[in-house]
């Protein structure tokens, strides 16, 4: 099981957990389940300390006989800033040092308080000039530290932390055609729009509206009864044309 990780996406109301192969071209899913997120645990991506949630997570993993301890957290937060920037096509082992050196130019923040990372979106060629188009992310260090604290309390070891907009890219690229395509990822309180052309990302934006309002309306509507839960309302939305 050395190549397996837990991929965990902690939402405001639902936490999604998948046990999957790590860094494999064709990953296999071994387990997949969801559990309720305690109210107030998440604040715009930040995780507040909760021994009850850590205990519940350990219990859910034990219930399914999942022994994998390495974890990859997918983070959704408006505090994570992103910029699409071109750089000269240097050797790839030099890209990180270039990004760190230019981070202050990309983001008007105190760079000491942020962690900077990147992914290569595209290779641009114009005449004899070759450039990389990068997606550069700036993440507050204290936001990342909240996930390390949670992992420690839950008895897990962080293998990687990823931005939700970046996490979905491998899945997107494996399913779309060569046309211009927009992928819409609807979360609880935000919606991520990703536009691709010939499998290259040309635009990615987050909109501050999600499915929570519709889910809450179903929970509160008398036609669905008085014992409707958040998960039950979500299942209805997924399986039926209600809106």
């Amino acid at each position: 099981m050395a190549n397996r990780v837990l991929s965990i996406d902690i939402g405001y109301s639902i936490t999604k957990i998948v046990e999957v192969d790590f860094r494999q071209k064709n990953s296999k899913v071994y387990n997949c389940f969801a559990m309720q997120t305690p109210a107030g645990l998440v604040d715009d991506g930040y995780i507040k300390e909760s021994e009850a949630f850590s205990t519940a997570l350990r219990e859910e993993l034990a219930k399914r006989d999942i022994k994998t301890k390495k974890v990859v957290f997918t983070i959704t937060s408006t505090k994570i800033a992103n910029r699409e920037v071109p750089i000269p096509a240097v050797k790839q082992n030099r890209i990180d040092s270039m990004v760190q050196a230019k981070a202050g130019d990309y983001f008007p923040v105190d760079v000491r308080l942020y962690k900077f990372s990147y992914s290569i979106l595209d290779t641009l060629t114009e005449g004899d000039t070759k450039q990389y188009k990068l997606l550069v992310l700036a993440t507050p260090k204290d936001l990342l530290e909240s996930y390390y604290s949670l992992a420690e309390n839950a008895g897990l070891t962080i293998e990687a932390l990823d931005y939700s907009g970046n996490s979905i890219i491998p899945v997107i690229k494996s399913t779309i055609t060569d046309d211009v395509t927009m992928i819409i990822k609807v979360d609880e309180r935000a919606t991520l729009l990703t536009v691709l052309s010939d499998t290259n990302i040309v635009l990615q934006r987050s909109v501050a509206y999600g499915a929570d309002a519709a889910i809450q309306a179903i929970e509160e509507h008398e036609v669905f009864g008085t014992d409707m839960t958040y998960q039950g309302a979500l299942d209805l939305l997924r399986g039926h044309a209600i809106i």
Side-chain angles (χ1 to χ4, degrees), residues 105-243:
D105 296 332
Y106 302 149
F107 304 96
V109 298
D110 184 346
V111 296
R112 296 171 298 178
L113 303 179
Y114 284 77
K115 176 73 174 178
F116 301 94
S117 57
Y118 73 91
S119 59
I120 300 175
L121 296 179
D122 197 5
T123 301
L124 309 173
T125 303
E126 185 174 345
D128 295 331
T129 303
K130 185 178 179 181
Q131 291 183 313
Y132 291 129
K133 180 182 177 183
L134 304 182
L135 177 66
V136 182
L137 303 176
T139 307
K141 289 182 178 179
D142 58 349
L143 187 155
L144 299 177
E145 288 166 0
S146 71
Y147 286 84
Y148 280 97
S149 178
L150 171 63
E152 182 178 359
N153 291 338
L156 303 173
T157 302
I158 290 182
E159 190 74 13
L161 296 167
D162 203 4
Y163 169 57
S164 62
N166 188 56
S167 296
I168 65 172
I169 289 174
V171 177
I172 290 173
K173 288 189 173 182
S174 67
T175 57
I176 65 171
T177 65
D178 292 335
D179 298 327
V180 175
T181 307
M182 180 164 69
I183 306 297
I184 303 174
K185 181 178 182 288
V186 182
D187 290 315
E188 292 153 314
R189 301 185 187 180
T191 296
L192 183 69
L193 309 176
T194 304
V195 180
L196 301 97
S197 177
D198 296 332
T199 73
N200 296 316
I201 296 176
V202 296
L203 180 69
Q204 191 171 72
R205 294 292 183 269
S206 182
V207 181
Y209 297 95
D212 258 4
I215 294 171
Q216 184 178 351
I218 293 172
E219 281 187 279
E220 297 175 352
H221 202 291
E222 60 184 14
V223 73
F224 299 109
T226 59
D227 58 348
M228 176 61 68
T229 63
Y230 187 96
Q231 183 64 55
L234 180 59
D235 291 340
L236 278 175
L237 275 175
R238 287 170 170 169
H240 302 276
I242 293 175
I243 296 178

Side-chain angles (χ1 to χ4, degrees), residues 1-9 15-24 26-34 57 60-74 156:
M1 297 193 299
N3 63 331
R4 296 188 193 182
V5 297
L6 300 173
S7 178
I8 301 180
D9 182 355
T15 294
K16 292 167 281 188
I17 301 103
V18 179
E19 184 184 25
V20 65
D21 287 327
F22 187 52
R23 290 182 175 171
Q24 300 291 322
N26 297 305
S27 295
K28 178 180 177 180
V29 173
Y30 298 92
N31 288 282
C32 180
F33 66 96
L57 178 57
E60 291 290 340
L61 294 173
K63 185 190 304 182
R64 294 165 174 80
D65 197 30
I66 298 175
K67 296 181 171 59
T68 298
K69 298 299 182 182
K70 295 180 180 179
V71 61
V72 176
F73 284 110
T74 293
L156 303 173

